[in-house]
Amino acid sequence: MNICPAELNFASHLAALNAPRAAKPAYIDDTRQLTYGELAERVARLGGALRNLALRREERILLLMQDTADWPVVFLGALHAGVVPVAVNTLLTADDYAYIIGHSRVRAVFVSGALLPTVQAALKQAGADIEHLVVSQPDGPLPAGAHELDTLLASAPLAPAVRTLSDEIAFWLYSSGSTGKPKGVVHTHGNLWHTAELYAKPVLGIREDDVVFSAAKLFFAYGLGNGLTFPLSVGATVVLMSERPTPQAVFQRLTRHRPTVFYGVPTLYASMLASPELPPRDQVGLRVCTSAGEALPRDIGERFTRHFGCDILDGIGSTEMLHIFISNQAGQLRYGTTGKPVPGYEVQLRDESGAPVAPGAIGDLYIKGPSAALMYWNNRDKTRQCFLGDWLKSGDKYTCDADGFYTYAGRSDDMIKVSGQYVSPVEVENILVQHEAVLEAAVIGVPDHDGLVKTKAYVVLRPGFEPDANTGAALQTYVKQHLAPFKYPRQINFTDELPKTATGKIQRFRLRQLEEA
Ligand code: 3SK
């Protein structure tokens, strides 16, 4: 096995690796192509631009951009310069960004034109001392003092890469928890390298002649590996799409660019299979697909393979571990399970006292591996609860069968994963109870007809409000107005009371039991 070099700048590592294929397309987005040579040049110019803006090594920039070829330029350009990109979800609210900007103390913001109004609202709210606003593909006039990314790059010198250690902080992602604010997950240059060496090359078998397409966006840990770390580690070509990954949008890319590797999430696979526009097998060029974010129901995997003649390798990863650490593999795939530990990672199932569970029993999932994040930034308590020496507690419950296959058995906390994104029930409940009609609310995840989890709110109304479809729709709209829209409850159930402990704490598990009955 390769050993991670002690001195590693992941951006220069990729540039050196891909220098021999300068004319080959690295990225194909909705409007442009970028060859490996052009990518290397823009990355070095971004480094020069950061210097011109007086951004120094280890300082942070916010990367709030849609999936275009500008995204890898900014991410890798920052790494090249030793500046730390804080890559964030493009689907959040101005409130969320105001918190993240304050918490991460970024000195500059790189934003897509389409997201500029939300970022401006966030900056106003945060009252943050942001020195530079850089806009990728603006769709109108720029605010005073802002720079356009292309213009900035055109006038920037080619900067030499900064020499960094593999253990040095490279970038952050944000991850949400059941309570409290999102946590800044701090990753190193070496962590990127490890995910490519341990998962992408041996499990996915990714290679130079692959064309890859990820429905999961680059700001997710899953998408970052899929659409940047892995393909660029072997000189493959990446198709990027900025729009929402609807089945139609995905089919267009699958048939136009004929990617050989496709990375999706279970809800998307289910809606692709249900779509009347599902292309026939001979119109796509798939070699292998992956799924993560939530457990892939067996039936969906089997139907997909029957239709396309291509396996979906279901796996589980985490933002904290950066990518997938348990996965199905070609030749030993068992749909309905998450597969086996990826070689290089160790996995344990423990009971509440920390002892290993009996064979076949449900236990809390712990992982040990070289791509673990360093910490949650400025959050000692949450860091201590998750990062336990060499081991990391994932927050998921699993069983392991006699053949060593792991099967998902739910979350250890009340977090709900919808289409691969965490939703905190507490956060949604806190918004619902601010509505004039709501006395109390509890939110849980319930499986739909495909076995995929959707959010459901149990609501106790105040006197004078009708438990009908209009009130339900008004509550859904209210949540969408106050939180990232993907967090709204897909179903509302009106009830007279909620199950509670003697001390008045809502018992969400009793509502889940009710749903299962
Ligand atoms: O959700 C997952 O399973 C996942 C996979 C890869 C990277 C990150 C995550 C959260």
Side-chain angles (χ1 to χ4, degrees):
M1 213 211 339
N2 290 337
I3 309 269
C4 183
E7 186 180 318
L8 175 75
N9 180 311
F10 194 70
S12 3
H13 162 73
L14 294 180
L17 201 90
N18 291 310
R21 48 180 78 87
K24 178 177 177 178
Y27 283 98
I28 302 172
D29 72 12
D30 297 333
T31 58
R32 293 179 296 180
Q33 271 204 26
L34 203 62
T35 63
Y36 270 103
E38 289 164 337
L39 176 65
E41 181 184 332
R42 286 174 81 84
V43 164
R45 285 200 193 283
L46 201 281
L50 290 173
R51 263 211 207 160
N52 282 352
L53 297 177
L55 260 290
R56 290 187 304 253
R57 186 173 174 157
E58 294 176 9
E59 289 183 329
R60 293 176 286 281
I61 60 169
L62 192 77
L63 198 179
L64 172 53
M65 286 168 41
Q66 292 171 325
D67 275 22
T68 72
D70 284 344
W71 204 106
V73 169
V74 175
F75 184 84
L76 293 172
L79 264 58
H80 178 94
V83 168
V84 178
V86 176
V88 290
N89 189 330
T90 55
L91 305 170
L92 302 182
T93 62
D95 281 2
D96 296 322
Y97 298 132
Y99 172 76
I100 290 173
I101 287 167
H103 179 252
S104 59
R105 299 200 201 104
V106 290
R107 284 194 54 214
V109 172
F110 285 71
V111 61
S112 294
L115 301 167
L116 185 58
T118 317
V119 135
Q120 285 181 291
L123 288 173
K124 208 161 158 195
Q125 199 174 320
D129 191 14
I130 297 298
E131 285 146 66
H132 306 287
L133 184 59
V134 182
V135 185
S136 151
Q137 302 178 25
D139 42 19
L142 293 181
H147 307 271
E148 182 179 355
L149 180 62
D150 277 341
T151 315
L152 196 67
L153 288 174
S155 59
L158 295 166
V162 163
R163 289 175 67 172
T164 53
L165 300 177
S166 61
D167 284 346
E168 207 162 317
I169 294 174
F171 68 101
W172 299 12
L173 301 172
Y174 268 87
S175 145
S176 38
S178 59
T179 54
K181 296 289 188 188
K183 294 162 291 190
V185 183
V186 179
H187 277 289
T188 65
H189 287 264
N191 291 354
L192 291 161
W193 186 92
H194 282 294
T195 57
E197 294 302 314
L198 296 179
Y199 171 75
K201 293 182 187 176
V203 176
L204 205 51
I206 193 162
R207 42 184 212 232
E208 185 185 5
D209 62 350
D210 276 320
V211 175
V212 311
F213 172 43
S214 175
K217 305 291 181 194
L218 290 162
F219 61 74
F220 290 116
Y222 181 45
L224 177 66
N226 300 345
L228 191 150
T229 320
F230 304 163
L232 301 196
S233 293
V234 294
T237 296
V238 187
V239 174
L240 292 178
M241 166 176 97
S242 29
E243 69 189 279
R244 224 163 53 81
T246 59
Q248 290 71 23
V250 168
F251 297 153
Q252 262 182 24
R253 273 71 180 184
L254 291 184
T255 51
R256 187 184 308 156
H257 302 291
R258 295 181 72 94
T260 49
V261 180
F262 174 66
Y263 315 89
V265 295
T267 356
L268 176 62
Y269 286 118
S271 46
M272 285 165 69
L273 288 168
S275 167
E277 290 161 51
L278 183 72
R281 184 187 289 201
D282 62 359
Q283 280 183 19
V284 306
L286 293 172
R287 174 177 79 70
V288 66
C289 294
T290 68
S291 181
E294 61 182 318
L296 179 76
R298 180 171 148 184
D299 172 62
I300 292 174
E302 288 175 352
R303 281 165 49 212
F304 190 92
T305 298
R306 266 200 305 278
H307 184 83
F308 285 118
C310 161
D311 288 336
I312 303 178
L313 305 182
D314 187 21
I316 180 174
S318 70
T319 307
E320 290 77 1
M321 206 36 113
L322 193 53
H323 214 273
I324 287 175
F325 47 79
I326 301 179
S327 180
N328 280 281
Q329 300 210 26
Q332 44 171 327
L333 177 144
R334 203 174 283 181
Y335 280 134
T337 80
T338 313
K340 295 185 174 181
V342 169
Y345 292 91
E346 276 180 62
V347 167
Q348 284 183 358
L349 299 182
R350 301 186 194 168
D351 66 17
E352 268 153 33
S353 72
V357 296
I362 295 181
D364 288 314
L365 179 68
Y366 288 76
I367 319 113
K368 181 175 162 183
S371 58
L374 294 178
M375 61 181 145
Y376 296 128
W377 187 259
N378 280 359
N379 194 335
R380 201 72 195 282
D381 268 2
K382 291 265 162 43
T383 299
R384 279 205 187 101
Q385 288 161 23
C386 176
F387 300 91
L388 308 160
D390 282 346
W391 290 88
L392 198 150
K393 185 175 184 188
S394 89
D396 299 287
K397 288 196 179 285
Y398 262 84
T399 58
C400 179
D401 69 16
D403 298 328
F405 282 87
Y406 283 76
T407 301
Y408 181 67
R411 287 282 306 168
S412 322
D413 52 24
D414 281 322
M415 288 298 278
I416 308 165
K417 245 189 171 180
V418 185
S419 307
Q421 299 218 69
Y422 279 117
V423 177
S424 155
V426 178
E427 190 184 24
V428 181
E429 289 158 7
N430 287 345
I431 295 298
L432 281 169
V433 295
Q434 286 170 33
H435 190 280
E436 54 171 1
V438 178
L439 182 63
E440 286 181 319
V443 173
I444 57 168
V446 293
D448 68 5
H449 56 276
D450 281 319
L452 297 166
V453 173
K454 301 284 178 283
T455 41
K456 178 168 181 174
Y458 279 76
V459 171
V460 181
L461 287 176
R462 288 184 186 281
F465 290 91
E466 288 302 316
D468 58 19
N470 286 341
T471 310
L475 295 181
Q476 289 174 320
T477 307
Y478 188 73
V479 174
K480 284 189 201 166
Q481 283 165 348
H482 289 81
L483 294 178
F486 68 84
K487 297 179 181 173
Y488 85 93
R490 303 307 195 271
Q491 289 178 55
I492 306 262
N493 184 306
F494 296 107
T495 180
D496 290 338
E497 60 177 342
L498 295 174
K500 297 206 186 114
T501 62
T503 55
K505 201 163 175 280
I506 294 172
Q507 293 172 306
R508 296 189 195 86
F509 75 92
R510 300 240 329 252
L511 295 173
R512 286 195 290 267
Q513 284 169 349
L514 213 68
E515 293 288 334
E516 283 161 17

